[in-house]
Amino acid sequence: MVAFGKKLKERSIEEWQEYYINYKLMKKKVKQYGRQIEVGSLDRRHVLKDFSRMLDHQIEKISLFMLEQQGLLSSRLQKLRECHDALQDEPDISQISNLREAYRSVGQDLLQLLVFIDTNAIGIRKILKKFDKRFGYRFTNYYVKTRADHPYSQLQQVFKHVGLGAVVGAISRNLHELQNNQGSFLSIYDQPVVPLQDPVVDSIKNAVDRLTRSTNFLNFMAQHALIMQDEDLLIHEDQADQEEGRYHFMSLLLNLANTFLYMVNTYIIVPTADDYSMSLGAAATVCGVVIGAMAVAQLFSSVYFSAWSNKSYFKPLIFSSIVLFVGNLVYALAYDFNSLALLLIGRLFCGFGSARAVNRRYISDCVPLKIRMQASAGFVSASALGMACGPALAGLLQTNFKIYNLTFNQDTLPGWVMAVAWLMYLVWLAISFVEPARDPEEVHTSQESNSADQDGNMEKGITKQLLLAQEETEHDDEDDCDGSEESAEDSRKPANSFVAAYKLLTPSVKVQLLIYFMLKYAMEILLSESSVVTTYYFGWSMSSVSIFLFCLGLTVLPVNLVVGSYISNMFEDRQILLASEIMVCVGILLSFHVVVPYTVPQYVISGFIMFVSAEVLEGVNLSLLSRVMSSRLSRGTYNGGLLSTEAGTIARVIADATITVAGFLGQSMLLNVTLLPSLIICVGSIVATCFTFNSLY
């Protein structure tokens, strides 16, 4: 990996040298701060103030030069416009050709300006990251929030490339008019889908796309997908071209369909699991084990699917579909065999077929950068829709009949329906999926070890503005020293075991994994015991439970839309994080049965508060994780995404086991006994959050 200082020097335009960010000076200043703090000659407040002032000056220099260059380009375009108007009355082929070349010349200069902006944007990101890493202040979040939202923001000039759109539009429109369009009354605005065949315009468009990806605020929705991109991709076009060649729309659609079906499969049995358990002679609370069996198996499937996706995407998906087909078939047949063991085996098989790691890996590896955000948002939407549709579909399967001694009722139909769905998916997959081509080096690497770039993108939050690009690697420090290539390479090696991955976790990351564990535990308790609790207290039918769970699932997308569009722009992530934790705690407290009688409004309102707050908390928590987790956990089999997934899955397993164990105390005690651990873990996470963020800020 080439150090950014060298990249900056290589990409710099000589005559503009003085207007680039003085990365070398800022880097030396960071070192100087470190030495002064060590000897006690500077305090934290002075360092923050001085560094902020210096960075403000650098950004002001960049933005004012940008405005000056935009003015020069605009003046040239204005003069060309006058020449263009003169040619309307007396067309001259040679003059038209000269005018086209003049517009192309402006386009080439605009390209230089775009590269200038992109280079400085990366430099600003990197120096902020270096400062945070050296002092642990998490200064980046504060700086972006205070500068980007200010009405006189100069940072917006750089990161929103204000005014360049008009210049791009003027060049594109005039070249379109001059290129074989004499006598036509149509413009690019009348035919927006017709591409302009001009290499300069194509280059400008590609440069603007790269810059937009580098600096744009991303949709909060995609934080749940946790798919990040490598900042080097913003510099190297050949990698982007390679991704274009590997991308296949139908294959992406198949991965999203797999995500949707798996979430439906997970939640379709929740309304009927207690009834199914009782029909096989077990207690209603055994539903916790039935539901949790899938999560137990997923603890193992996440690991081998993560490793398998280093070599192939098609084979893991085929295997997943077959295992899920068999698992649902066994689940449905357990009724006629009157076997609780078969019921649990069926759910275990379903868990062993969890290919969500493959779905996320495909998006991070094969989907081009320009649509990766939409693909990751699609992943979130598919998951949320599946979560809502599962219980809703169960509510529709209200029938009872037999065919050749096979029973089809509300307990077995979820298994039969999902078995048919996975069989149809398997056929579609075999016909339509295209295995992406892999480079020989990539194949060799995957054979030598179970590591591959970008696997950790699964469970890492996608951030905003300066925090968009992938958490810059620990190898960034190579700018600061002349270490050997071997040691630099070692610093980028992914973890090769859970123990090695755990050793890379900082205290703040451990706290955020605790938060993730807590919210998954609380949500699983709410969802898995809903059928037993509502039947005991309110006498709800299976249809009523299905409607309740369906309504909970429907809140995911609108809640994230509100948070992403409004709340995240008004408050810092850590403030939203703490507020969400407190609201989850409030929801848990309101759910306790301490007043007789226990009412439907109390249960429904407290459930919605808990669930919605947990959804908000999940997005913000994963977003923060992406900024504090070691870059070595962004690659390989044992990546940060796998750690987050395992933390959440373990929480679900423990929650489902808690429901079954609490059932031995009687259904009257079930609600309070299962909520008590949720409350303890939630309070503990709030205390840990306050302590951690106070030490960081």
Side-chain angles (χ1 to χ4, degrees), residues 220 223-226 356 360 387 459-461 512 515-516 519-520 523 556 560 576-577 580-581 584 611-625 644 648:
F220 184 85
Q223 290 178 346
H224 287 68
L226 316 162
R356 287 170 65 82
R360 293 173 178 133
M387 182 180 178
E459 296 293 342
K460 300 182 80 176
Q512 288 175 269
I515 294 172
Y516 194 67
L519 68 92
K520 286 297 183 183
M523 291 173 69
V556 175
N560 281 284
I576 303 175
L577 182 83
S580 300
E581 284 185 271
V584 170
F611 187 83
V612 170
S613 301
E615 279 296 324
V616 175
L617 179 60
E618 181 176 3
V620 178
N621 185 56
L622 294 173
S623 173
L624 287 170
L625 262 177
S644 300

Side-chain angles (χ1 to χ4, degrees), residues 7-57:
K7 290 180 184 177
L8 179 61
K9 187 175 181 180
E10 291 170 0
R11 301 181 74 194
S12 297
I13 301 170
E14 187 173 353
E15 55 268 28
W16 293 357
Q17 193 69 43
E18 60 182 297
Y19 301 106
Y20 283 89
I21 180 174
N22 197 331
Y23 185 77
K24 186 176 181 180
L25 173 65
M26 308 256 334
K27 186 177 65 176
K28 288 182 178 179
K29 198 68 176 177
V30 170
K31 286 184 179 180
Q32 181 182 337
Y33 290 146
R35 290 192 296 267
Q36 291 175 329
I37 289 178
E38 287 176 2
V39 300
S41 60
L42 273 184
D43 59 12
R44 167 181 161 174
R45 186 180 298 276
H46 179 82
V47 168
L48 294 176
K49 182 179 179 180
D50 192 54
F51 187 74
S52 298
R53 180 187 57 79
M54 181 180 295
L55 190 54
D56 286 341
H57 288 172

Side-chain angles (χ1 to χ4, degrees), residues 69-114:
Q69 292 301 309
Q70 288 180 44
L72 294 175
L73 293 175
S74 300
S75 298
R76 290 169 63 186
L77 288 173
Q78 182 62 34
K79 292 178 181 178
L80 292 177
R81 180 72 255 179
E82 294 173 0
C83 296
H84 193 175
D85 291 340
L87 286 176
Q88 298 295 323
D89 299 329
E90 298 180 6
D92 184 288
I93 295 178
S94 62
Q95 291 184 11
I96 290 176
S97 178
N98 292 336
L99 191 57
R100 278 204 302 264
E101 290 304 317
Y103 274 112
R104 290 190 181 113
S105 176
V106 176
Q108 293 291 347
D109 290 342
L110 175 60
L111 274 173
Q112 288 187 328
L113 183 59
L114 289 170

Side-chain angles (χ1 to χ4, degrees), residues 157-220:
Q157 291 286 337
V158 179
F159 282 86
K160 301 294 282 186
H161 34 92
V162 178
L164 287 179
V167 179
V168 175
I171 295 172
S172 302
R173 185 179 64 82
N174 283 283
L175 280 175
H176 183 271
E177 291 180 359
L178 292 169
Q179 181 178 313
N180 302 322
N181 279 285
Q182 284 74 32
S184 173
F185 292 99
L186 297 177
S187 71
I188 58 173
Y189 306 112
D190 300 308
Q191 295 177 300
V193 296
V194 178
L196 173 60
Q197 301 299 324
D198 192 290
V200 172
V201 174
D202 290 340
S203 298
I204 292 174
K205 182 179 181 299
N206 292 334
V208 171
D209 287 343
R210 288 196 304 273
L211 183 58
T212 300
R213 289 195 299 268
S214 174
T215 60
N216 192 26
F217 278 105
L218 295 182
N219 194 314
F220 184 85

Side-chain angles (χ1 to χ4, degrees), residues 110-271:
L110 175 60
L111 274 173
Q112 288 187 328
L113 183 59
L114 289 170
V115 172
F116 171 84
I117 298 171
D118 190 29
T119 304
N120 282 290
I122 294 173
I124 294 169
R125 254 198 319 269
K126 281 187 171 289
I127 198 63
L128 283 169
K129 167 61 180 173
K130 188 173 292 293
F131 185 89
D132 282 353
K133 186 175 179 181
R134 186 66 179 264
F135 303 109
Y137 288 164
R138 303 293 176 257
F139 171 73
T140 299
N141 194 43
Y142 156 77
Y143 190 85
V144 174
K145 285 287 184 182
T146 54
R147 268 61 175 179
D149 297 333
H150 196 278
Y152 305 131
S153 173
Q154 292 175 322
L155 191 65
Q156 289 280 18
Q157 291 286 337
V158 179
F159 282 86
K160 301 294 282 186
H161 34 92
V162 178
L164 287 179
V167 179
V168 175
I171 295 172
S172 302
R173 185 179 64 82
N174 283 283
L175 280 175
H176 183 271
E177 291 180 359
L178 292 169
Q179 181 178 313
N180 302 322
N181 279 285
Q182 284 74 32
S184 173
F185 292 99
L186 297 177
S187 71
I188 58 173
Y189 306 112
D190 300 308
Q191 295 177 300
V193 296
V194 178
L196 173 60
Q197 301 299 324
D198 192 290
V200 172
V201 174
D202 290 340
S203 298
I204 292 174
K205 182 179 181 299
N206 292 334
V208 171
D209 287 343
R210 288 196 304 273
L211 183 58
T212 300
R213 289 195 299 268
S214 174
T215 60
N216 192 26
F217 278 105
L218 295 182
N219 194 314
F220 184 85
M221 277 292 302
Q223 290 178 346
H224 287 68
L226 316 162
I227 298 167
M228 292 174 56
Q229 60 191 8
D230 192 339
E231 186 167 271
D232 287 341
L233 299 182
L234 302 175
I235 297 177
H236 300 295
E237 296 183 30
D238 54 343
Q239 182 69 28
D241 294 337
Q242 179 185 348
E243 286 177 342
E244 289 281 1
R246 300 174 69 181
Y247 170 64
H248 182 245
F249 174 74
M250 189 58 69
S251 299
L252 172 61
L253 196 60
L254 281 161
N255 275 279
L256 296 180
N258 184 282
T259 298
F260 170 76
L261 287 176
Y262 186 79
M263 293 302 290
V264 172
N265 211 148
T266 300
Y267 290 99
I268 193 173
I269 73 154
V270 172

Side-chain angles (χ1 to χ4, degrees), residues 303-526:
V303 179
Y304 65 72
F305 273 117
S306 180
W308 200 352
S309 61
N310 290 332
K311 301 178 181 180
S312 174
Y313 304 102
F314 179 64
K315 292 178 182 178
L317 290 176
I318 288 288
F319 177 79
S320 165
S321 304
I322 294 173
V323 171
L324 282 159
F325 169 74
V326 173
N328 282 287
L329 203 60
V330 172
Y331 180 86
L333 290 172
Y335 188 90
D336 292 306
F337 282 90
N338 194 30
S339 172
L340 182 63
L342 274 183
L343 186 71
L344 295 175
I345 290 172
R347 287 297 284 179
L348 283 171
F349 264 74
C350 290
F352 285 128
S354 172
R356 287 170 65 82
V358 181
N359 305 145
R360 293 173 178 133
R361 179 71 175 271
Y362 182 87
I363 295 174
S364 69
D365 283 359
C366 303
V367 176
L369 280 171
K370 63 183 179 182
I371 62 168
R372 190 175 298 169
M373 197 64 245
Q374 295 92 318
S376 57
F379 178 87
V380 176
S381 301
S383 299
L385 189 61
M387 182 180 178
C389 289
L393 184 58
L396 298 176
L397 302 177
Q398 300 294 302
T399 187
N400 192 347
F401 61 92
K402 282 195 172 187
I403 301 177
Y404 297 111
N405 294 323
L406 295 178
T407 303
F408 296 85
N409 58 24
Q410 65 177 18
D411 296 333
T412 64
L413 274 172
W416 291 116
V417 169
M418 291 312 302
V420 172
W422 284 112
L423 184 61
M424 294 173 62
Y425 174 81
L426 181 61
V427 174
W428 181 24
L429 181 69
I431 295 173
S432 302
F433 192 88
V434 176
E435 181 75 82
R438 292 176 180 265
D439 292 336
E441 292 183 4
E442 183 181 353
V443 175
H444 175 73
T445 302
S446 66
Q447 291 173 345
E448 292 294 326
S449 66
N450 286 329
S451 64
D453 290 342
Q454 299 299 325
D455 191 30
N457 301 343
M458 302 314 107
E459 296 293 342
K460 300 182 80 176
I462 296 192
T463 57
K464 303 171 296 194
Q465 193 79 343
L466 299 178
L467 307 175
L468 161 68
Q470 180 176 358
E471 189 72 9
E472 282 138 22
T473 66
E474 294 175 1
H475 186 48
D476 255 354
D477 288 338
E478 69 184 356
D479 320 47
D480 301 331
C481 61
D482 296 322
S484 66
E485 292 183 7
E486 183 178 357
S487 62
E489 189 67 26
D490 290 340
S491 71
R492 290 181 57 81
K493 285 184 179 179
N496 55 11
S497 67
F498 278 116
V499 174
Y502 183 81
K503 290 179 179 178
L504 294 174
L505 301 182
T506 62
S508 61
V509 173
K510 292 177 182 177
V511 168
Q512 288 175 269
L513 288 177
L514 171 64
I515 294 172
Y516 194 67
F517 177 92
M518 178 273 293
L519 68 92
K520 286 297 183 183
Y521 184 93
M523 291 173 69
E524 189 71 9
I525 289 290
L526 172 65

Side-chain angles (χ1 to χ4, degrees), residues 266-278:
T266 300
Y267 290 99
I268 193 173
I269 73 154
V270 172
T272 59
D274 59 332
D275 185 68
Y276 204 165
S277 301
M278 289 189 294

